[in-house]
Amino acid sequence: MAPDTRHPDKLDRAVIFLGPPGAGKGTQAKELAARYGVPHLSTGDMLREHVSKGTPLGIKAKPIMERGELVPDSLVLQMIRERIERPDCTHGFVFDGFPRTVAQAKYLGELLKQHGYKRPFVIHLAIDTSVLLPRLTGRRTCKVGGEIYNIHDRPPKVAGICDADGGELVQRPDDREEVIGPRLHAYEKQTAPLAAYYSSRGLLHVIDASKSIDEVRQQVLQSVKNVRGAR
Ligand code: AP5
């Protein structure tokens, strides 16, 4: 039998990060996933990879993402099903940017049930959208390992170079000011209703995402520990 390589503090469930563009979902999801030794599943990263490889899905998604709109559920759901059925997801995973519509949340609920997972744990990174612009326009991401920086708040030691692996730091095309407005609009219209959806099911944990990255991390870790202790 294969050895159990899980982190001694097992996650054993899906964790979902919900919040507007720039709330810190990627920053926190990556760290939480590493902490528990489970995959970090960012639908944004997956779609960007399809775009950069020029796959049929990427060709359809590219113009939609450049306009700051959501990619249709029909394209995203198949991608998610295939991903969570891989063996590395057996002991839990951390979603970043999924689900993003009530239809996606319902699909995910069924998928988790079919695969025998516990109910998901949803972390809502709540923040006033007026503070998000500098976070988004200042974000730079490592082309190699995906490490996230901010030229204002979390700069690399050497400008343009990743501290972790020396990779080039780049700006996402949708972090241009003219695309940020439509992204925030799509969030308010299509994704924000998920907070009420999960809250009514007793699954939502709200965290103040306006605090520093370290303070948000502490709040996230504490709430995950509380939930794991309680169920
Ligand atoms: P996606 O890649 O998911 O982007 P997003 O939701 O717009 O979120 P961001 O990645 O912009 O922000 P984040 O919350 O992860 O913040 P981060 O931690 O990086 O989606 C992109 C596009 O793909 C969508 O527009 C859509 O077209 C498509 N898509 C993706 N998923 C989809 C789905 N499920 N269905 C349909 N379409 C989908 O932080 C941002 C910056 O802030 C960084 O510089 C960071 O250093 C800084 N920062 C983070 N936390 C703090 C803090 N506490 N204090 C100060 N600075 C901070």
Side-chain angles (χ1 to χ4, degrees), residues 93-135:
F93 40 89
V94 180
F95 277 127
D96 157 13
F98 181 86
R100 247 177 156 103
T101 61
V102 171
Q104 290 184 8
K106 288 183 176 163
Y107 179 88
L108 176 65
E110 286 307 312
L111 206 54
L112 294 177
K113 252 190 238 163
Q114 281 169 22
H115 289 77
Y117 285 106
K118 294 175 187 162
R119 298 197 316 156
F121 174 57
V122 187
I123 298 175
H124 182 197
L125 295 181
I127 189 162
D128 188 319
T129 52
S130 64
V131 304
L132 297 174
L133 195 65
R135 287 197 188 185

Side-chain angles (χ1 to χ4, degrees), residues 19-28 42-45 47-48 64-65 68-73 76 96-100 104 125 135-136 138-140 148-151 153-154 172 174-175 183 209-213 216:
K25 302 182 296 295
T27 302
Q28 299 296 336
S42 156
T43 39
D45 287 351
L47 289 166
R48 281 185 286 277
I64 302 171
M65 294 171 79
E69 296 166 9
L70 293 191
V71 174
D73 291 347
V76 173
D96 157 13
F98 181 86
R100 247 177 156 103
Q104 290 184 8
L125 295 181
R135 287 197 188 185
L136 292 167
R139 170 171 44 197
R140 299 292 182 273
I148 302 167
Y149 294 87
N150 191 284
I151 55 171
D153 262 16
R154 202 190 207 192
R172 271 173 39 180
D174 61 348
D175 278 345
R183 284 168 64 199
S210 67
K211 306 272 188 211
S212 72
I213 292 176
V216 174

Side-chain angles (χ1 to χ4, degrees), residues 57-218:
L57 167 55
I59 290 166
K60 286 187 195 142
K62 186 170 187 271
I64 302 171
M65 294 171 79
E66 282 174 352
R67 292 196 299 271
E69 296 166 9
L70 293 191
V71 174
D73 291 347
S74 55
L75 299 179
V76 173
L77 297 178
Q78 177 68 15
M79 186 177 81
I80 282 295
R81 173 183 277 278
E82 284 168 10
R83 183 62 189 89
I84 74 166
E85 286 177 349
R86 289 197 214 152
D88 63 343
C89 285
T90 313
H91 300 304
F93 40 89
V94 180
F95 277 127
D96 157 13
F98 181 86
R100 247 177 156 103
T101 61
V102 171
Q104 290 184 8
K106 288 183 176 163
Y107 179 88
L108 176 65
E110 286 307 312
L111 206 54
L112 294 177
K113 252 190 238 163
Q114 281 169 22
H115 289 77
Y117 285 106
K118 294 175 187 162
R119 298 197 316 156
F121 174 57
V122 187
I123 298 175
H124 182 197
L125 295 181
I127 189 162
D128 188 319
T129 52
S130 64
V131 304
L132 297 174
L133 195 65
R135 287 197 188 185
L136 292 167
T137 54
R139 170 171 44 197
R140 299 292 182 273
T141 311
C142 175
K143 258 178 126 172
V144 179
E147 189 68 22
I148 302 167
Y149 294 87
N150 191 284
I151 55 171
H152 312 295
D153 262 16
R154 202 190 207 192
K157 290 185 185 122
V158 179
I161 305 287
C162 178
D163 297 344
D165 57 23
E168 183 193 351
L169 301 185
V170 293
Q171 184 172 32
R172 271 173 39 180
D174 61 348
D175 278 345
R176 287 176 291 120
E177 250 185 273
E178 61 270 30
V179 191
I180 292 172
R183 284 168 64 199
L184 290 171
H185 179 71
Y187 176 80
E188 289 304 333
K189 209 169 152 215
Q190 292 166 278
T191 309
L194 282 180
Y197 176 87
Y198 282 121
S199 178
S200 67
R201 286 158 178 76
L203 301 174
L204 194 76
H205 298 257
V206 181
I207 281 181
D208 178 0
S210 67
K211 306 272 188 211
S212 72
I213 292 176
D214 286 348
E215 288 169 295
V216 174
R217 180 192 306 113
Q218 290 311 319

